[in-house]
Amino acid sequence: MPKSQIDQIDRKILTRLQKDGRIANNDLAEAVGLSPSPCLRRVKALEESGLIRTYVALVDPAMVELPVNVFVSVTLEKQVEERLDSFEAAIRQRPEVLECYLMTGEADYLLRVVVPDLAAYEQFLKTHLTRIAGVASIKSSFALKQVRYETALPLHHLAV
Amino acid sequence: MPKSQIDQIDRKILTRLQKDGRIANNDLAEAVGLSPSPCLRRVKALEESGLIRTYVALVDPAMVELPVNVFVSVTLEKQVEERLDSFEAAIRQRPEVLECYLMTGEADYLLRVVVPDLAAYEQFLKTHLTRIAGVASIKSSFALKQVRYETALPLHHLAV
DNA sequence: ACTGAAATGGCGCGACC
DNA sequence: GGTCGCGCCATTTCAGT
């Protein structure tokens, strides 16, 4: 489903829903200059195409005792395809790993891990990360502060 | 508002809403073993306490022509408080910077930037990032693949 | 004080123009 | 894309424990 299907109104809908996923369809319709029914039809189409993946509630990390963000660079022993898959499968098991990227260059992984404190991170390292087969080296970088965290993708580049 | 206020049911509510932010209150109530009225009251309390920050729609990056993730390490010239604030303010202006963390160690920043292609990233570098006052050095690392991306925080550590 | 049940007003969501 | 209408859900009120 290429971008050619996305017009100005769809872009407005997406921008609005990325800010407020619980907006009432009536209000959304008014905001984008449509009547409720065709607006809802567009939203459903965006959902069914997979363009809108899901709706979620965002929780404040500090208020649930999860103030520590750690970025972990992981290097694997060999770059065999099989190793990558098994590493990724293992990573997907761990709920404290919120993000994981396969990186270029040294061809390792970058993880963002969220934990209550340093002790919990040490536990994660010892009990889980170091036990994954094929892990050669691990480098941890700690965040002092989360300056910005957005889930809304910028859509300005999408042509009309 | 410490965690002592959060009981088992609240945890279930949060876990559920982090997976499906648009679930009907009736269904949520049934899922957590409550009747609709007290369930909704708890949700409202969690919202007003700020523990639930907001509800959002998550959009598929590839389907809106944003397949490129870049992690950018930024070092500032001097670690004056004022410089940090002005850098952070500048970063907040740029919608392609989805995440920004103040890091320990070399005490620089780590950014996650999302762009349509390498040309757009080059444009971002030249037009915006390098023009921010106080930026000493920039190191860009590109992601080949987003292996995992979660917004749901793990709540298993919260005691009953 | 917090929970569960009933009533009402508004909205989501389909059929049709 | 807009209009109409039904059914369901969110929300308030009231009673119970």
Side-chain angles (χ1 to χ4, degrees), chain A residues 5-65:
Chain A
Q5 292 190 352
I6 298 170
D7 63 1
Q8 195 77 27
I9 294 181
D10 284 331
R11 235 182 57 187
K12 282 186 186 177
I13 289 177
L14 291 172
T15 301
R16 200 74 183 74
L17 283 177
Q18 282 192 125
K19 275 190 288 209
D20 179 7
R22 269 202 158 177
I23 186 175
N25 182 59
N26 287 349
D27 298 341
L28 178 62
E30 189 182 9
V32 303
L34 243 55
S35 62
S37 192
C39 179
L40 183 62
R41 220 176 300 145
R42 279 169 178 265
V43 171
K44 292 300 168 192
L46 291 169
E47 289 170 6
E48 274 159 33
S49 76
L51 205 147
I52 295 179
R53 282 175 42 220
T54 178
Y55 300 87
V56 298
L58 297 183
V59 169
D60 187 314
M63 294 189 77
V64 289
E65 317 285 322

Side-chain angles (χ1 to χ4, degrees), chain B residues 25-95:
Chain B
N25 183 58
N26 288 349
D27 298 341
L28 178 61
E30 189 182 8
V32 303
L34 245 54
S35 64
S37 189
C39 180
L40 183 62
R41 216 175 306 140
R42 279 168 178 265
V43 171
K44 292 299 170 194
L46 291 168
E47 289 170 5
E48 274 159 33
S49 75
L51 203 148
I52 296 179
R53 281 174 43 219
T54 177
Y55 300 86
V56 298
L58 296 183
V59 170
D60 187 312
M63 294 190 77
V64 290
E65 317 286 322
L66 288 170
V68 179
N69 275 277
V70 193
F71 286 88
V72 193
S73 293
V74 177
T75 311
L76 298 193
E77 285 168 359
K78 293 192 174 185
Q79 292 303 330
V80 210
E81 183 81 13
E82 185 191 348
R83 285 273 160 110
L84 297 181
D85 287 349
S86 71
F87 177 79
E88 293 177 12
I91 282 303
R92 271 187 255 269
Q93 299 296 315
R94 303 303 320 157

Side-chain angles (χ1 to χ4, degrees), chain B residues 126-137:
Chain B
K126 292 196 174 175
T127 313
H128 298 108
L129 196 52
T130 57
R131 289 190 185 170
I132 299 178
V135 169
S137 82

